[in-house]
Amino acid sequence: MRRTIPDLTEDIWHHIHSLMPMHDAARVACLSRAFLHSWRCYPNLSLSRDIVRSKEHACRGDLSNKIDHILRNHSGRLKVLKLGLDGISCRYLDSWLHIAVTAGIEELTLMPFRHKYNVPSSLFSDGVRYSIRYLELGFCTFRPTAELGPLRSLTSLHLCTLRITGDELECLLSKALALEQLVIIDCKEIICLKVPCVLQQLSYLKIIGWWRLRAVESKAPNLSNFFLSGEIRKVSLGETSRIKNLTLFRSNVVCYARSELSCTMPNLETLVLSSDEEVVNTPILPTKFLYLKHLTIYMVSGLSFSPSYDYFSLVSFLLASPSLETLILNVTQQCMEHESAVGGSSHLRKMPEHQHCCLKSVEIIGFSSAKGLVELACFILKNAVSLECLTLDTLYGPRCFGKSDKRCISMSNSVLSEAPRAVTAIREYIEDKVPSTVQLTVLEPCSRCHTRPGWFLSQIV
């Protein structure tokens, strides 16, 4: 017998309601008695000033009353709570957290944007410590002490602009033995970050520290993904042979990666490098990245990248990476000061043939007429026997691709004036070297979004 909607059990109503986005769940609760009760059992709340406040009720008192009412009605039933409330009194925050964060909660995100607000350790009661899996704290203060009990289920910890010292963080980490992901962003009180060896499950570590952070010491034995941004003087990762995915943002990192990483991290599969300055050309060395499959290099400067740097030296990575499948190179710069291949008297350099059997896709963003770049593209076309597509983008950033509701990102005159020279270099030196099995895509300035006429998106097969 086919059942009608009113015959559904309360458990089914609750389940259906829980699958709706929060806005829709709240609206339907106002319109349907069947959903009114289940709204109070809705397990996921994301509350911010813009979400809660309506146009008719903009004053702070109404906002606080609304949030208080919502959290009291959901107390004891929440599994996911996100609070991003700037300008709220600390006394409200304490009250709301103790109402909403109860046994059974699995994910907590707290962004009060009040650094003087100290997240109470008492918030993590026995029941909370056993259930919470994801914790994100930002723009406030947290002072965990030795009395804080174990966070047995915590697998992901994110700290953003949080006031916490290195010793306090080490204390917190020692309580979270099941931790798998750790993200730390601009926590200014941490000078030395120590990750203890008891974190046997930790596989992902992301650190962004442009402030006082000077040293990172990790003894986590199973770390496989590491992201580091900042001029940090000392980095010690203990056993590095397990690291497969590495991202580094710092000056002179390209030379450093080629010189050091092939020896210290021999099992890398994905490598992302970002540098705004390279003093020394990338050296050609006998060491190899035997398992490296995906390489992304950003060599981006706000003005111009050092004209003394030879882009052709990046061939070193191709020679060292026999398993490489994809290469993305971003060389965007506002002023191209390198020797141009267009109108120059010197011939393009050549290297001995080195057949590469795995490389399938190459993209160069910000491609210019720089001689080294042209030589690099020619080397790839000649030696990458498995190459399927080569994309040369003479600009950078999002494009409209002819869509009327979108616009390409605006460009400076210096970038737009270099684009025709890049296209000329492609026509003169690269186009006739493209095998029939390779698709060459040249992205030129958009004729609609950029003022100079005659520039368009061309596809060359």
Side-chain angles (χ1 to χ4, degrees), residues 14-15 18 39-46 71 74-82 99-109 127-128 130-135:
H14 288 181
H15 179 69
S18 68
W39 165 243
R40 295 186 175 183
C41 299
Y42 189 77
N44 307 325
L45 289 184
S46 179
L71 293 179
H74 288 78
S75 180
R77 302 180 177 92
L78 286 175
K79 292 187 179 297
V80 178
L81 175 62
K82 299 179 181 179
I99 290 170
V101 181
T102 58
I105 194 163
E106 297 177 359
E107 299 182 18
L108 173 63
T109 298
V128 172
Y130 277 93
S131 65
I132 194 163
R133 296 184 292 104
Y134 177 97
L135 177 61

Side-chain angles (χ1 to χ4, degrees), residues 368-385:
S368 67
S369 65
K371 182 182 175 184
L373 278 181
V374 175
E375 292 168 332
L376 179 63
C378 291
F379 177 87
I380 292 170
L381 286 170
K382 183 176 182 180
N383 294 281
V385 295

Side-chain angles (χ1 to χ4, degrees), residues 133-425:
R133 296 184 292 104
Y134 177 97
L135 177 61
E136 182 173 0
L137 301 175
F139 305 96
C140 56
T141 300
F142 188 39
R143 306 293 185 193
T145 62
E147 288 70 30
L148 179 67
L151 302 166
R152 300 186 184 277
S153 299
L154 188 65
T155 58
S156 187
L157 177 63
H158 293 237
L159 309 178
C160 178
T161 318
L162 183 74
R163 287 185 175 175
I164 185 172
T165 67
D167 290 340
E168 291 166 341
L169 177 57
E170 190 174 3
C171 173
L172 176 60
L173 295 178
S174 68
K175 309 291 185 180
L177 302 186
L179 198 65
E180 298 174 3
Q181 293 188 349
L182 175 60
V183 177
I184 301 173
I185 301 175
D186 287 338
C187 295
K188 299 180 184 179
E189 294 186 6
I190 300 176
I191 299 174
C192 178
L193 171 64
K194 294 184 178 181
V195 181
C197 62
V198 294
L199 298 186
Q200 300 283 316
Q201 306 302 317
L202 187 68
S203 62
Y204 181 90
L205 176 59
K206 180 175 182 178
I207 302 169
I208 299 178
W210 294 98
W211 299 97
R212 299 177 63 194
L213 185 61
R214 291 294 177 265
V216 175
E217 180 182 345
S218 172
K219 296 182 179 179
N222 294 306
L223 192 65
S224 59
N225 298 272
F226 182 52
F227 181 112
L228 178 64
S229 176
E231 300 294 337
I232 299 172
R233 297 174 183 174
K234 181 180 179 182
V235 178
S236 173
L237 299 179
E239 177 57 59
T240 58
S241 63
R242 293 182 180 271
I243 295 181
K244 295 184 177 181
N245 304 300
L246 178 66
T247 300
L248 296 176
F249 282 54
R250 56 183 295 183
S251 300
N252 301 304
V253 72
V254 177
C255 180
Y256 164 80
R258 183 63 189 94
S259 303
E260 304 291 336
L261 297 183
S262 53
C263 297
T264 59
M265 299 182 185
N267 295 314
L268 280 176
E269 295 180 2
T270 300
L271 178 60
V272 179
L273 305 172
S274 181
S275 174
D276 60 359
E277 180 184 22
E278 290 293 319
V279 176
V280 180
N281 291 334
T282 308
I284 294 178
L285 301 170
T287 53
K288 302 288 185 180
F289 293 98
L290 292 177
Y291 305 102
L292 187 64
K293 295 181 179 180
H294 309 287
L295 174 62
T296 301
I297 300 177
Y298 297 91
M299 303 178 73
V300 180
S301 173
L303 293 175
S304 62
F305 209 78
S306 173
S308 64
Y309 182 82
D310 185 3
Y311 290 121
F312 192 40
S313 68
L314 292 172
V315 164
S316 176
F317 280 97
L318 297 173
L319 300 176
S321 309
S323 301
L324 193 66
E325 297 178 3
T326 63
L327 170 63
I328 299 175
L329 177 61
N330 190 327
V331 289
T332 299
Q333 51 186 314
Q334 296 300 315
C335 298
M336 203 288 285
E337 297 181 356
H338 288 75
E339 179 186 356
S340 176
V342 178
S345 58
S346 59
H347 297 289
L348 296 185
R349 292 167 293 176
K350 296 181 180 179
M351 292 190 68
E353 290 191 15
H354 179 87
Q355 193 175 84
H356 201 295
C357 299
C358 296
L359 189 61
K360 297 179 180 180
S361 175
V362 176
E363 180 179 8
I364 303 180
I365 302 164
F367 188 84
S368 67
S369 65
K371 182 182 175 184
L373 278 181
V374 175
E375 292 168 332
L376 179 63
C378 291
F379 177 87
I380 292 170
L381 286 170
K382 183 176 182 180
N383 294 281
V385 295
S386 298
L387 190 66
E388 297 176 357
C389 59
L390 172 62
T391 300
L392 303 178
D393 189 345
T394 61
L395 300 181
Y396 61 91
R399 291 174 175 269
C400 70
F401 291 104
K403 297 181 180 179
S404 59
D405 60 334
K406 296 183 181 296
R407 300 288 293 182
C408 297
I409 189 172
S410 60
M411 299 285 162
S412 66
N413 289 333
S414 57
V415 171
L416 291 175
S417 64
E418 172 58 26
R421 287 193 290 270
V423 173
T424 299

Side-chain angles (χ1 to χ4, degrees), residues 102-131:
T102 58
I105 194 163
E106 297 177 359
E107 299 182 18
L108 173 63
T109 298
L110 179 60
M111 298 282 183
F113 297 94
R114 296 182 71 89
H115 278 110
K116 69 178 183 180
Y117 178 69
N118 194 340
V119 180
S121 294
S122 59
L123 182 67
F124 302 97
S125 62
D126 290 343
V128 172
R129 292 202 309 269
Y130 277 93
S131 65

